């Protein structure tokens, strides 16, 4: 698009088309949710969909899991690199889940790409990525905590055409059906993804018909340039310099750890550089993270720092640079196991968060639960005698911040605006009883503003020969407090057997056997606190005790407030708090 042509189009039309592109991404998103077969998609919203331009630059993305911000771009660019634009034809659809190139995360996140043609010319791409309940592999659910190479984790789709010029590759569909444990779910979700892609294609062509291809192309340029301008305005307001953070991943799931990870964030007038070099090399267990997934994690926190309300597109990220050693835990290479990649990916965001929270307290809070706290439960349904499979994340506590307590019962940063499976759906579709779903009132994360509460969820097995696999990171290294606030609590899960014996707590465990009336108790972290706990107003402390978020003893020890156990009135202060207030 030449500058002269661009100038001939009025700004109002360009903005209308720009907003129409964003609306297409949203319509694609809802089309997928409404036609999918799996609760992890239509309930949890563990997927993303959107449009890119002809070069793979993201234009719009309807997002469930924030961890997918950036993966669509890599998928489309890999498609272009493999086939070339001349090798793509109308009616083609490409399937890809390669973790090491092309927007890979783990094999369960299956991406589809559809090239959009207008009057014979390639003009854009429609793309989506969704978590399939099953892609095969050694374990039901296709992720586990003890895989040691990618070949154990399921089917790999190395950027191949599932439709070629409108003709279905039935052989590939047959291979999928023969290699997954729940083919109706997996293939049903694939057809839903295809329907959403075609929705995006149809709407984009309609836009070209209505306004003309040149106007749409000019609006794409305007959309990307506007994203960049908005980011650069915010970048100019950020503190300049280099900021560093170090943390530790508990282990890799097969006995190796702790694993040191680090970042050096350099902010200049033109660049926001995140350098993860020096972090632990890739490991034997499945916590390894691909470079594309690392970039997505960095993009999440970058948007939170610059402009959280901005609609996502690649223009926003032009000032962003992400550096990592090849073959590291943040940029692994084949055949590294990656099935629980999120345990590392989320540290990509959290390290930057931790480094910059002290200088950006108005945007960044104390540490949160961090881990997806993902769970698989599998077995036979007591009513239907058919196999069932639970695959879902867990909610927990977020950290407190300047002027605010932390949020209780929220998903981690990598899951974003997703949902948990409702109790009623879980009990109907699965062979379990949900006996408790409550806030964790452990009183951790004390501060002038206290950390948000974690949650407790329990599943009682209703049949024999079930099993649970779970990965609860931050089991040993706690959500961090800052500015005088205390650390939060750990993520963990415990098995309570039918005879009353307990086993655990665990951070990671693969295929723990469950029999009828055994209970899995899932406990997520309370977030870190912000500020000196002795500065928390006594009335708020009393209300926390009354609401059972903290105990009388915690009120006295952590906050220096003495509460009447009958009336919950403040009756005094400890000498330690009084001395601190005198100072």
């Amino acid at each position: 698009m030449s500058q002269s042509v661009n100038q001939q189009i009025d700004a109002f039309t360009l903005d209308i088309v720009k907003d129409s592109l964003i609306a297409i991404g949203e319509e694609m998103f809802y089309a997928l949710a409404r036609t999918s077969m799996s609760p992890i998609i239509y309930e949890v919203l563990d997927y993303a969909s959107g449009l890119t331009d002809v070069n793979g630059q993201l234009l719009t993305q309807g997002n469930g899991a924030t961890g997918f911000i950036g993966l669509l771009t890599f998928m489309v660019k890999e498609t272009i690199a493999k086939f070339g634009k001349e090798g793509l034809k109308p009616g083609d659809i490409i399937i890809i889940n390669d973790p090491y190139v092309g927007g890979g995360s783990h094999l369960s996140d299956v991406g589809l790409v559809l090239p959009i043609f207008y009057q014979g010319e390639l003009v854009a791409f429609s793309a989506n990525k969704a978590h399939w309940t099953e892609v095969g592999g050694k374990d039901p659910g296709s992720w586990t905590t003890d895989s040691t190479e990618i070949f154990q984790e399921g089917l790999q789709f190395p950027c191949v055409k599932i439709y070629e010029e409108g003709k279905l590759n039935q052989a590939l569909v047959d291979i999928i059906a023969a290699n997954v444990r729940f083919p109706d779910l997996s293939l049903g979700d694939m057809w839903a993804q295809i329907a959403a892609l075609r929705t995006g294609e149809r709407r984009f062509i309609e836009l070209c018909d209505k306004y003309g291809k040149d106007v749409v192309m000019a609006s794409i340029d305007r959309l990307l340039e506007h994203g960049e301008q908005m980011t650069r305005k915010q970048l100019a307001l950020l503190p300049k310099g280099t900021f560093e953070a170090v943390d530790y991943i508990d282990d890799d799931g097969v006995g190796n750890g702790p694993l040191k990870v680090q970042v050096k964030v350099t902010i200049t007038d033109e660049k926001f550089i995140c350098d993860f070099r020096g972090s632990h090399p890739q490991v034997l267990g499945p916590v390894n993270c691909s470079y594309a997934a690392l970039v997505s994690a960095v993009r999440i926190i970058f948007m939170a720092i610059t402009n959280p309300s901005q609609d996502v597109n690649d223009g926003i990220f032009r000032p962003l640079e992400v550096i990592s050693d090849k073959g590291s835990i943040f940029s692994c290479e084949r055949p590294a196991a990656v099935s629980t990649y999120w345990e590392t990916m989320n540290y990509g965001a959290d390290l930057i968060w931790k480094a910059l929270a002290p200088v950006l307290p108005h945007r960044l809070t104390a540490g949160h639960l961090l881990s997806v706290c993902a769970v698989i439960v599998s077995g036979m349904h007591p009513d239907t005698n058919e196999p069932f499979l639970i695959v879902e994340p867990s909610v927990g506590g977020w950290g407190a911040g300047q002027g605010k307590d932390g949020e209780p019962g929220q998903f981690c940063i990598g899951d974003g605006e997703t949902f948990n499976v409702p109790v009623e759906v879980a009990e109907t579709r699965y062979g379990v009883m949900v006996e408790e779903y409550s806030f964790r009132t452990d009183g951790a994360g004390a501060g002038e503003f206290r950390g948000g509460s974690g949650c407790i969820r329990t599943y009682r097995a209703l049949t024999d020969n079930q099993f649970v696999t779970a990965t609860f990171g931050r089991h040993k290294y706690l959500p961090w407090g800052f500015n005088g606030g205390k650390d939060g609590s750990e993520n963990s899960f415990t098995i309570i057997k039918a005879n009353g014996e307990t086993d655990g707590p665990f951070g990671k465990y693969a295929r723990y056997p469950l029999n009828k009336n055994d209970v899995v108790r899932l406990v997520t972290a309370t977030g870190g606190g912000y500020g000196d706990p002795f500065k928390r107003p006594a009335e708020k402390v009393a209300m926390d005790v009354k609401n059972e978020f903290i105990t009388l003893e915690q009120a006295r020890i952590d906050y220096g407030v003495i509460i009447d156990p009958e009336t919950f009135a403040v009756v005094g202060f400890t000498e330690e708090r009084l001395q601190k207030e005198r100072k």
Side-chain angles (χ1 to χ4, degrees), residues 91-390:
D92 286 353
I93 298 179
I94 292 86
I95 186 169
I96 180 171
N97 69 346
D98 189 325
Y100 314 104
V101 296
S105 44
H106 64 168
L107 297 181
S108 298
D109 295 332
V110 179
L112 296 181
V113 176
L114 183 153
I116 300 174
F117 289 82
Y118 185 71
Q119 296 178 351
E121 179 185 354
L122 180 63
V123 290
F125 289 88
S126 177
N128 56 36
K129 179 178 276 285
H131 184 116
W132 288 12
T133 299
E134 254 284 328
V135 289
K138 75 181 186 68
D139 286 44
S142 305
W143 65 258
T144 186
T145 65
D146 65 352
S147 55
T148 56
E149 57 181 2
I150 190 67
F151 309 107
Q152 299 170 351
E153 297 179 348
L155 281 169
Q156 299 178 61
F157 304 120
C159 197
V160 294
K161 292 184 180 181
I162 195 163
Y163 273 89
E164 188 161 8
E165 296 187 66
K167 183 179 179 180
L168 176 66
N169 184 345
Q170 186 62 46
L172 182 53
V173 174
D174 292 345
I175 289 171
I176 294 170
N179 281 276
V180 304
R181 295 171 178 85
F182 297 87
D184 290 344
L185 292 181
S186 297
L187 291 176
D189 293 337
M190 184 186 75
W191 301 130
Q193 287 180 260
I194 290 170
L197 292 181
R198 288 176 171 159
T199 297
E201 176 189 38
R202 184 169 62 253
R203 294 291 183 248
F204 193 93
I205 290 171
E206 288 173 356
L207 208 58
C208 291
D209 285 340
K210 184 172 183 178
Y211 294 99
K213 187 199 72 173
D214 287 347
V215 173
V216 174
M217 296 299 108
S219 295
I220 286 173
D221 291 341
R222 185 180 182 88
L223 177 67
L224 295 170
E225 289 166 5
H226 179 260
E228 181 180 3
Q229 290 168 4
M230 293 291 287
T231 296
R232 291 200 179 279
K233 284 181 181 179
Q234 292 298 318
L235 186 63
L237 302 177
L238 297 181
K240 305 303 184 288
T242 298
F243 311 89
E244 300 184 38
V246 174
D247 212 328
Y248 294 87
I249 299 169
D250 297 335
D251 56 67
D252 68 346
V254 294
N256 303 306
L259 312 170
K260 182 181 177 182
V261 288
Q262 60 189 46
V263 74
K264 182 184 291 184
V265 182
T266 301
I267 304 175
T268 70
D269 291 333
E270 298 296 324
K271 287 282 189 179
F272 190 104
I273 303 167
C274 303
D275 187 347
F276 294 90
R277 287 176 295 187
S279 294
H280 201 283
Q282 67 186 51
V283 291
L284 183 63
V287 300
N288 298 292
C289 171
S290 70
Y291 178 74
L294 172 65
V295 170
S296 280
V298 174
R299 284 184 168 197
I300 300 168
I301 197 69
F302 179 71
M303 287 188 69
I305 290 166
T306 53
N307 193 350
S309 62
Q310 176 75 18
D311 290 313
V312 64
N313 65 67
D314 263 9
I316 292 171
F317 306 114
R318 286 174 179 170
L320 179 62
E321 184 177 343
V322 182
I323 305 169
S324 184
D325 296 315
K326 288 186 177 181
S328 74
I329 199 169
F330 278 129
S331 188
C332 66
E333 297 183 316
R334 183 178 292 277
V338 297
S339 72
T340 57
Y341 75 100
W342 58 80
E343 295 291 14
T344 296
M345 182 197 80
N346 287 336
Y347 274 86
D350 194 70
L351 284 166
I352 299 167
W353 185 344
K354 188 176 183 180
L356 295 181
V359 296
L360 294 171
H362 63 294
R363 284 279 169 89
L364 299 174
T365 63
H368 76 320
L369 77 154
L370 184 69
S371 176
V372 172
C373 294
V375 183
I376 289 175
V377 182
S378 184
M380 300 300 288
H381 197 290
D383 299 328
T384 64
N385 204 32
E386 295 289 331
F388 74 88
L389 183 67
I390 298 173

Side-chain angles (χ1 to χ4, degrees), residues 463-481:
T463 55
D464 289 335
N465 300 315
Q466 296 187 14
F467 77 82
V468 59
T469 293
T471 174
F472 277 47
R474 279 228 184 278
H475 178 59
K476 301 171 185 173
Y477 297 90
L478 305 178
W480 41 273

